């Protein structure tokens, strides 16, 4: 069956997401400042994640390190003729590109073929159609991040009922049970990512002033909803910080108008935490249009958003590690295809990113040398 939506072959996807190579003459500085090294130390994992059936207090968090394979298991996977489909919410950002790269590369090592990758362009109805068409291809496993975990739940349950193993990225559809309806979910420590970024914003303001939050309208979209919780927790630690408003968006391009309205309504607002980097870039654009000086912090770093850090437009990022998440998701699927149990929730620790450690952080996230334009924008201020 031909997929009617945007579909990428595995080879094309890898080509599309390759990151520009650095000049051959570039080498890392000999003396990385202690402050940059300290930021590269991962923060301890939050002990529990999303509440799902069977785990009323949140599924216990497991490290990706628990997913290991013997040579015999790898040989069994390679002989299994397994296939996989990837049903994404969007491909228009560094995070999904790196996720797909990590999944695809790791599956290839196991001899598992990716039959297609779809891009729903942040439209739940489109993603449901993508999922139905992917199910018709009968892959062994489907990887997906649901846009609307509530309205899309029935479609994912139908995919599970068809005998296809489901591995989720960041979010679990409402009412689905790990080990029964799906294999596992892998997520970053999203609450701690946001807590770090919001705390840096508050500290930069001396613990006083007006701030705002821009986040996703779907409050049951766990991985983003918990970022709002983390940001509010950080702001609450400063009696002098006032949260003027929480603006919501259905897709990243809505952040420009939301941020514009927020800054117009609150002329003394000095800082905004945006739930991830793509809407944060829209916040920067809105501030520029209004001629406002706003401190912006966010979650997630990729080559595009790294430029905002290098130029001083983002103060701090509590970053996910999407490539590493993709590796863990692929390993979860492989473990399940072997008939072995998989932890219900796998969590990747927070990476703290500021300008001083930007190049080290970006290389850690992308598994590629930083692109030349980011290095140039740093102007010697990043390590």
């Amino acid at each position: 069956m031909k997929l009617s939506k945007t579909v990428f072959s595995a080879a094309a996807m890898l080509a599309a997401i390759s990151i520009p190579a650095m000049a051959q003459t570039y080498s890392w500085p000999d003396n990385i400042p202690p402050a940059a090294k300290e930021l590269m130390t991962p923060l301890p994992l939050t002990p529990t994640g999303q509440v799902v059936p069977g785990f009323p207090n949140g599924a216990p968090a497991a490290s990706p390190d628990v997913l290991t394979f013997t040579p015999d298991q790898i040989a069994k996977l390679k002989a299994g003729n397994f296939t996989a489909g990837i049903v994404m919410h969007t491909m228009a950002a560094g995070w999904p590109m790196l996720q797909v790269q990590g999944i695809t590369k790791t599956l290839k090592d196991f001899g598992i073929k990716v039959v297609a990758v779809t891009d729903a362009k942040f439209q739940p109805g489109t993603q449901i159609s993508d999922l139905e068409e992917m199910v018709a291809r009968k892959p062994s496993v489907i990887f997906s991040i649901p846009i609307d975990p509530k309205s899309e739940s029935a479609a994912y349950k139908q995919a599970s009922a068809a005998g296809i193993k489901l591995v989720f990225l960041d979010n679990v559809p409402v009412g689905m049970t790990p080990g029964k309806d799906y294999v596992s979910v892998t997520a970053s420590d999203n609450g701690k990512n946001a807590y770090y970024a919001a705390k840096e914003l508050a500290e930069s303001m001396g613990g006083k002033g007006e701030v705002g939050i821009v986040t996703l309208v779907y409050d049951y979209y766990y991985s983003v909803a918990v970022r709002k919780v983390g940001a509010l927790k950080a702001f609450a630690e400063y009696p002098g910080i006032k949260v003027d408003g929480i603006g919501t968006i259905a897709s990243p391009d809505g952040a420009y108008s939301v941020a514009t309205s927020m800054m117009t309504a609150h002329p003394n607002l000095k800082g905004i935490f945006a739930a991830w980097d793509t809407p944060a870039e829209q916040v920067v654009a809105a501030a520029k249009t209004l001629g406002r000086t706003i401190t912006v912090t966010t979650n997630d770093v990729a080559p595009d958003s790294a430029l905002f850090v290098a130029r001083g437009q983002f103060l701090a990022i509590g970053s996910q590690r999407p490539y590493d998440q993709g590796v863990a998701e692929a390993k979860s699927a492989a473990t399940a295809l072997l008939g072995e149990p998989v932890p219900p929730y796998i969590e990747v620790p927070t990476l703290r990113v500021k300008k001083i450690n930007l190049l080290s952080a970006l290389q850690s996230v992308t598994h590629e040398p930083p692109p030349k334009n980011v290095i140039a924008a740093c102007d010697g201020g990043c390590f």
Side-chain angles (χ1 to χ4, degrees):
M1 175 180 288
K2 182 180 178 181
L3 290 176
S4 60
K5 310 299 182 256
T6 305
V7 179
F8 305 86
S9 69
M13 178 57 59
L14 287 172
I17 60 181
S18 61
I19 297 168
M22 292 175 9
Q24 294 297 315
T25 56
Y26 179 79
S27 62
W28 286 108
D30 293 327
N31 298 305
I32 298 177
K37 290 183 178 179
E38 196 278 330
L39 286 171
M40 294 302 296
T41 303
L43 296 178
L45 291 178
T46 298
T48 57
Q50 184 173 356
V51 172
V52 292
F55 298 96
N57 297 315
S63 167
D65 295 337
V66 304
L67 302 170
T68 60
F69 300 85
T70 66
D72 285 347
Q73 287 175 319
I74 294 174
K76 185 176 179 180
L77 287 167
K78 289 181 176 179
N81 295 316
F82 297 119
T83 59
I86 305 176
V87 178
M88 297 299 288
H89 57 335
T90 180
M91 289 303 298
W95 187 91
M97 289 183 176
L98 289 165
Q99 281 268 0
V100 171
Q101 186 180 16
I103 293 169
T104 303
K105 171 63 170 62
T106 308
L107 291 180
K108 184 177 180 181
D109 293 341
F110 293 134
I112 301 172
K113 180 183 178 181
V114 175
V115 296
V117 179
T118 62
D119 176 0
K121 303 187 187 306
F122 251 102
Q123 300 297 318
T126 301
Q127 188 170 47
I128 289 172
S129 179
D130 289 345
L131 180 62
E132 291 171 346
E133 294 180 8
M134 191 71 78
V135 168
R137 297 176 72 117
K138 300 180 180 179
S140 310
V141 59
I142 289 176
F143 299 85
S144 188
I145 173 169
I147 298 166
D148 183 346
K150 189 174 183 179
S151 69
E152 295 183 67
S153 180
Y156 283 104
K157 287 179 179 178
Q158 289 175 0
S160 176
I164 298 171
K165 297 186 183 300
L166 298 177
V167 174
F168 289 116
L169 291 59
D170 264 32
N171 299 307
V172 177
V174 172
M176 296 189 72
T177 303
K180 176 186 175 184
D181 300 317
Y182 68 97
V183 172
S184 183
V185 59
T186 296
S188 207
D189 195 343
N190 287 291
K192 193 164 288 182
N193 288 351
Y195 174 84
Y196 163 73
K199 192 173 181 68
E200 287 293 319
L201 174 55
E203 287 287 330
S204 76
M205 298 168 59
K208 297 179 181 179
E210 299 177 29
V211 299
I213 294 174
V214 175
T215 188
L216 197 62
V217 69
Y218 306 116
D219 222 15
Y220 36 80
Y221 190 102
Y222 173 78
S223 63
V224 176
V226 76
R227 295 178 203 180
K228 181 179 72 174
V229 173
L232 288 171
K233 178 181 177 182
F235 290 143
E237 294 177 359
Y238 298 86
I241 292 289
K242 177 186 176 184
V243 179
D244 282 331
I246 300 175
T248 59
I249 56 175
S251 62
D253 56 5
Y256 183 90
S257 61
V258 167
T260 298
S261 297
M262 187 179 292
M263 286 184 278
T264 302
H266 303 283
N268 294 320
L269 187 143
K270 297 298 182 185
I272 291 179
F273 166 77
W276 72 98
D277 56 349
T278 311
E281 293 170 9
Q282 295 292 313
V283 172
V284 170
K288 183 178 180 180
T289 299
L290 294 174
R292 295 282 291 274
T293 299
I294 294 289
T295 301
V296 178
T297 64
T298 188
N299 287 173
D300 306 343
V301 70
D304 53 351
S305 54
L307 285 170
F308 284 74
V309 180
R311 295 190 296 243
Q313 294 164 311
F314 292 169
L315 171 69
I317 293 178
S319 184
Q320 300 191 72
R321 302 169 186 259
Y323 185 99
D324 294 345
Q325 285 178 239
V327 171
E329 289 145 8
K331 288 183 176 180
S332 294
T335 301
L337 290 170
L338 289 168
E340 300 291 334
V342 182
Y345 184 75
I346 296 170
E347 189 172 72
V348 179
T350 295
L351 174 61
R352 296 169 290 168
V353 183
K354 300 184 78 173
K355 183 171 182 177
I356 193 171
N357 73 318
L358 178 62
L359 298 182
S360 298
L362 187 58
Q363 179 164 277
S364 177
V365 167
T366 65
H367 291 242
E368 295 280 355
K372 290 184 288 185
N373 62 339
V374 174
I375 296 169
C378 283
D379 195 25
C382 313
F383 297 89

